[in-house]
Amino acid sequence: MKCENCTKKECIKKTNIDDQQNVSVDTPHFNSEHEEKCDTSAHKVLVVSICPQSLPYFAAKFNISVTAASKRLCGFLKSLGVHYVFDSTIAVDFSVLESQKEFIYRYRQQKQGEHSLPMFASACPGWIQYAERVLGNPITPHMCTAKTPQQIMGSLVKDYFARQQNYSPDKIFHIIVAPCYDKKLEALREDFYIASYNSHDVDCVLTSGEIIQIMEQKEEFMKEAVVDTLFGEIKEGDTVSDGVTRSDGYLEHIFKYAAKELFDLHIKEITYRALKNKDFQEITLEKNGEIVLRFAAAYGFRNIQNMVLKLKKGKFPYHFVEVLACPGDDCALKAPSEVEKQQSMDQLSPACANFGLTINTKKIQVLHQLPPHHLYVEPSVTANGEILNVVNKFAYLGSILSRDVHFDNEVDAHIARASSVFGHSKEKYGREEVLD
């Protein structure tokens, strides 16, 4: 990568981690009288942090192990000129530890504090956005205040790492590789900003799919490399569990820690019990025939709304809830054409099989959107040999997507929800109070 302020031919270089090689192809020619010396003060130190949840995606894509995927991804990023590549598993561990401590504090203060329990996990940016902008009180006081792994990794890179290397935070350009698009919104939060240096803790978020697109455009042989370490020497494999697919694991870690800390019970195996649907499950801890801990996992807006309704009615029995905006089995695949959509499905099927996942072809829906005034032809997309159901509209993450690319259905849905809320409020408080 070259400095964007360079005009001197000798300074336009492709930077590797240990050496620099002059680029002879596509290098513009300048007359010597117009050449200027490169302003090295404008060069940035490129740092990439990889979320552990992204690695299984790359492993499935290349049909290799998670450890091998980590090496290949690291080697590719460094071939582009990235100076440091970190595994953000350490940030996940810090976040879980802080969440454990906060839950113990809240549990012991539940009789003194009105909003001590339940405690809601705060690692999902989609859930946080919804809670802050839509729900507000009485939900937000129950949110865990521990920093998310992305926030912690941003602080480690722009604070700890910067001081270790004698860099100013604004000298570092920090990129996060994450599986979720909502992580881009999280990076823009005001509490993610260092005002004194006019710098964000995370400057850019690239999804796993976007990294794959860059790889496909480069079409280069990818050398392998081991990720860098923030804290001393770490043996290979210490931060990457080969073949393990999991979320951040807040629920299980906090449950086991609370059982030991509060009740001196060692929990090895956890049994989940599905309630109304498989995206709302609970686990309980009993002592002397009495339930002393009740945790739940609520995935998707349908379960979130039911959870909030019960909390407002004072009928919420849980001490801790791990909340994710996306349903547990949802996967959205976007493609610019029917052919590429089929290619995506052909890649998804064996990837799911590699990780022991089953594709339910009865639930999959295909939506084909065309520009206005284009002739619509119904697509034919298959998964595991079965033709998938084609629809004109469907709901995803609280929004309604339609075939005709219009917002009419979305607007109608919002009006209907607003009318319903207004109607309930009018019945409870009276029309005059609602209008006031």
Side-chain angles (χ1 to χ4, degrees), residues 233-245:
E233 293 295 327
I234 298 179
K235 294 181 180 180
E236 181 181 336
D238 282 356
T239 57
V240 179
S241 299
D242 193 13
V244 175
T245 57

Side-chain angles (χ1 to χ4, degrees), residues 333 338 341-349 359 361 364 366 379-390:
L333 295 178
E338 181 179 345
K341 171 62 72 176
Q342 185 61 62
Q343 291 174 348
S344 297
M345 290 303 305
D346 292 341
Q347 292 174 345
L348 178 66
S349 297
I359 296 179
T361 55
I364 299 180
V366 178
S380 178
V381 181
T382 63
N384 295 333
E386 294 188 35
I387 299 178
L388 303 178
N389 183 34
V390 179

Side-chain angles (χ1 to χ4, degrees), residues 5-176:
N5 295 327
C6 293
T7 57
K8 188 174 178 64
K9 178 178 179 180
E10 286 76 15
C11 189
I12 300 177
K13 299 177 179 180
K14 180 181 179 181
T15 306
N16 293 318
I17 195 62
D18 295 321
D19 61 339
Q20 295 181 333
Q21 297 176 343
N22 290 332
V23 174
S24 59
V25 181
D26 296 331
T27 300
H29 176 73
F30 297 96
N31 294 327
S32 58
E33 57 185 312
H34 296 297
E35 289 180 354
E36 298 178 5
K37 187 177 180 180
C38 169
D39 180 11
T40 56
S41 64
H43 287 225
K44 293 280 189 177
V45 177
L46 300 181
V47 177
V48 175
S49 299
I50 303 173
C51 294
Q53 294 82 8
S54 291
L55 292 177
Y57 176 84
F58 292 102
K61 181 72 176 178
F62 299 120
N63 195 27
I64 57 179
S65 68
V66 174
T67 301
S70 174
K71 292 180 179 179
R72 183 176 295 189
L73 178 59
C74 180
F76 174 74
L77 292 170
K78 290 191 173 183
S79 74
L80 296 180
V82 174
H83 300 95
Y84 298 93
V85 178
F86 296 123
D87 182 346
S88 62
T89 300
I90 187 69
V92 177
D93 294 339
F94 280 142
S95 182
V96 170
L97 289 173
E98 288 302 311
S99 300
Q100 290 174 347
K101 294 178 182 178
E102 182 174 346
F103 177 78
I104 297 300
Y105 175 81
R106 283 176 178 259
Y107 189 92
R108 289 171 173 166
Q109 296 293 319
Q110 59 181 313
K111 293 183 179 179
Q112 288 79 22
E114 180 183 357
H115 298 295
S116 295
L117 294 177
M119 186 175 92
F120 296 134
S122 57
C124 173
W127 153 241
I128 295 300
Q129 289 277 338
Y130 179 68
E132 291 179 342
R133 296 188 179 188
V134 180
L135 302 177
N137 283 317
I139 302 302
T140 50
H142 294 279
M143 307 297 293
C144 178
T145 60
K147 285 187 174 183
T148 68
Q150 181 166 303
Q151 289 175 311
I152 292 175
M153 199 65 199
S155 297
L156 287 174
V157 169
K158 289 291 184 85
D159 185 7
Y160 175 80
F161 175 73
R163 285 188 284 108
Q164 292 291 106
Q165 301 294 326
N166 291 321
Y167 293 139
S168 172
D170 57 345
K171 180 80 172 178
I172 299 174
F173 192 85
H174 185 204
I175 303 170
I176 292 281

